[in-house]
Amino acid sequence: MLEITELVAGYGRSDVLHGVSLTVPEDGVVCVLGHNGAGKSTLLRAALGLIRPSAGRVRLDGRDVTRLPAHRKVRAGLAYVPQGQQSFPQLTALENLRLVADGRGGDGARALDEALDLFPALRELAGRRAGLLSGGQRQQLAIARALITRPRLLLLDEPTEGIQPSVVAEIQRTILELAGRGGLSVLLVEQHIDFALRAAQRYHVLEAGRITSTGEGGEAARDRVREALTV
């Protein structure tokens, strides 16, 4: 599905990633864990094309898409939910979703309805301005917006940051449900170890722009990951 090979990327003359390689399989959930400043968000931005790598390759279904701009990768089936529960605060929750749905033509209304089915709380909040929603509600809104595009690969950057535990559980349930249906892969960047390992089949620990540990996900990996993050 997605193959990242020896990726080097950063900002200006400063590299943040130093030869990162990982694979996200078809219908798989892969998480990247690490402390602040490890390069996790840079990895997602480089994969999407918001940052141009200085070396390495990004392949989607075997096709080299390293140099493709972000909008072309989105057309190819990538969707990105950045850190920070981003939304259009002056618009209602429903208006935020319709902005994306209207661009999908006849399929938009159905895609919007399916997104609301995944996050039922948003139906009750449809008429409320996004700027008045809680952080967890805005995060659900951001993920729902991305899902309306019917992506094949969802890039999630710190979806649990600053969110109450009940909403974290809801987001985790949704990710697992979507991946279980088939047709969607997820690359998840997280600091919340328990959430990430429950959601993902495979993990990678990123430190100072390099992968220092990797293995199968699941709760049994918790101690190994904690140890890797304390080295």
Side-chain angles (χ1 to χ4, degrees):
M1 174 59 175
L2 180 73
E3 299 173 71
I4 296 173
T5 307
E6 293 296 322
L7 201 66
V8 178
Y11 306 91
R13 297 183 179 180
S14 299
D15 288 333
V16 176
L17 303 177
H18 307 281
V20 172
S21 299
L22 61 83
T23 299
V24 182
E26 195 81 27
D27 301 335
V29 180
V30 173
C31 69
V32 177
L33 297 131
H35 299 299
N36 286 333
K40 304 185 304 298
S41 296
T42 301
L43 175 62
L44 293 190
R45 291 171 62 82
L48 184 64
L50 296 174
I51 298 171
R52 176 165 288 190
S54 57
R57 290 287 180 267
V58 178
R59 292 181 175 87
L60 184 64
D61 295 328
R63 176 192 175 198
D64 190 339
V65 297
T66 311
R67 302 298 175 184
L68 284 185
H71 70 275
R72 290 187 60 185
K73 289 182 182 176
V74 169
R75 288 178 191 167
L78 273 65
Y80 173 50
V81 181
Q83 195 173 3
Q85 304 111 37
Q86 295 187 12
S87 64
F88 297 98
Q90 297 305 315
L91 300 181
T92 67
L94 184 58
E95 288 169 341
N96 268 269
L97 297 175
R98 280 179 173 163
L99 278 176
V100 181
D102 288 348
R104 292 195 57 82
D107 181 53
R110 181 179 175 185
L112 190 156
D113 199 52
E114 290 174 357
L116 289 173
D117 285 342
L118 288 168
F119 295 107
L122 293 179
R123 288 192 184 276
E124 302 175 10
L125 300 165
R128 185 175 299 182
R129 284 194 304 174
L132 299 178
L133 300 178
S134 70
Q137 291 162 348
R138 287 196 304 275
Q139 187 64 282
Q140 291 182 359
L141 179 61
I143 297 173
R145 270 210 329 256
L147 292 173
I148 289 174
T149 68
R150 297 196 186 281
R152 297 174 53 239
L153 174 63
L154 183 63
L155 308 176
L156 289 175
D157 192 357
E158 302 276 12
T160 68
E161 184 185 33
I163 293 177
Q164 59 268 41
S166 61
V167 179
V168 170
E170 182 71 10
I171 291 172
Q172 177 187 306
R173 179 197 62 77
T174 301
I175 292 172
L176 292 174
E177 179 181 340
L178 288 167
R181 290 179 184 177
L184 179 70
S185 300
V186 179
L187 180 55
L188 169 67
V189 155
E190 259 296 335
Q191 289 193 68
H192 191 304
I193 295 174
D194 290 343
F195 166 77
L197 294 179
R198 282 196 299 265
Q201 289 94 38
R202 193 158 189 82
Y203 74 85
H204 301 277
V205 174
L206 191 65
E207 289 294 329
R210 292 179 171 86
I211 290 178
T212 58
S213 178
T214 187
E216 294 184 1
E219 294 186 11
R222 184 185 303 132
D223 291 341
R224 294 197 304 273
V225 170
R226 291 189 188 281
E227 183 178 353
L229 287 171
T230 57
V231 173

